[in-house]
Amino acid sequence: ETANFEFPLITKHGVRIEVLLNASTRRDEQGNVIGVVGIGQDITGRIAQEREYSKLIDSANAPIFGVDTFGCVNVWNICARKLVGYSTAEVMGHSLVQEFITQDYQASVQAVLDQALAGVETANYEFPLITKAGARIEVLLNATTRRNEHGKV
């Protein structure tokens, strides 16, 4: 059994670092647990980059949203909130296409998102979004593939 844990660690000099610990059970020849092997990695820099990335997205002067591999919203910046009128809490985890795209564009927007999830990016695709007030607004979509640190979509 293997488990990964992220936790803060204070060094002997009083500096806080973020650590990713990979812990695996150690077994004898009969399969009995005789201990644990742990490998720690300093991920302080990675976490700082992730925070900076999040700040950059949230403060951009263009609406930025992201969806997970199921098409559910997982990024919704300040500009998107102002433009469309939905708070982050109202959209997070909801289907972007099914709930916020006009029916006549759902199939084509879904196709653009599916292509991005497959690594094919699209630039300047125009489609309508429905605001919280019920207004239809036209937006330009640049769909890019987002990958984690292991290259996985």
Side-chain angles (χ1 to χ4, degrees):
E1 301 119 39
T2 301
N4 292 311
F5 303 95
E6 289 185 22
F7 61 92
L9 181 70
I10 307 300
T11 68
K12 73 178 187 175
H13 300 294
V15 176
R16 178 186 168 125
I17 62 171
E18 299 294 327
V19 174
L20 174 63
L21 177 66
N22 178 284
S24 298
T25 54
R26 187 167 172 223
R27 299 180 181 272
D28 64 16
E29 298 81 27
Q30 289 78 37
N32 300 313
V33 176
I34 59 171
V36 175
V37 175
I39 300 172
Q41 178 182 359
D42 181 353
I43 57 170
T44 308
R46 187 192 85 200
I47 289 176
Q49 285 178 329
E50 289 171 358
R51 287 182 184 139
E52 193 63 30
Y53 173 73
S54 291
K55 264 178 35 182
L56 179 67
I57 285 176
D58 210 37
S59 63
N61 64 355
I64 297 175
F65 62 85
V67 295
D68 61 19
T69 55
F70 301 104
C72 295
V73 177
N74 61 7
V75 173
W76 192 257
N77 77 345
I78 292 170
C79 191
R81 290 192 295 263
K82 289 178 181 176
L83 181 68
V84 184
Y86 289 102
S87 70
T88 302
E90 291 174 298
V91 298
M92 286 301 216
H94 291 265
S95 171
L96 177 74
V97 171
Q98 296 301 314
E99 298 182 43
F100 304 102
I101 307 297
T102 60
Q103 191 169 3
D104 54 328
Y105 274 83
Q106 286 180 353
S108 60
V109 171
Q110 186 64 57
V112 169
L113 295 177
D114 289 344
Q115 286 180 319
L117 290 169
V120 179
E121 300 181 352
T122 300
N124 298 322
Y125 176 77
E126 189 174 333
F127 71 98
L129 270 176
I130 303 301
T131 68
K132 187 173 183 176
R136 177 182 167 132
I137 58 171
E138 299 294 324
V139 296
L140 280 179
L141 173 66
N142 291 306
T144 58
T145 307
R146 197 164 152 212
R147 299 180 186 278
N148 67 15
E149 66 272 11
H150 305 293
K152 185 177 178 190
V153 174

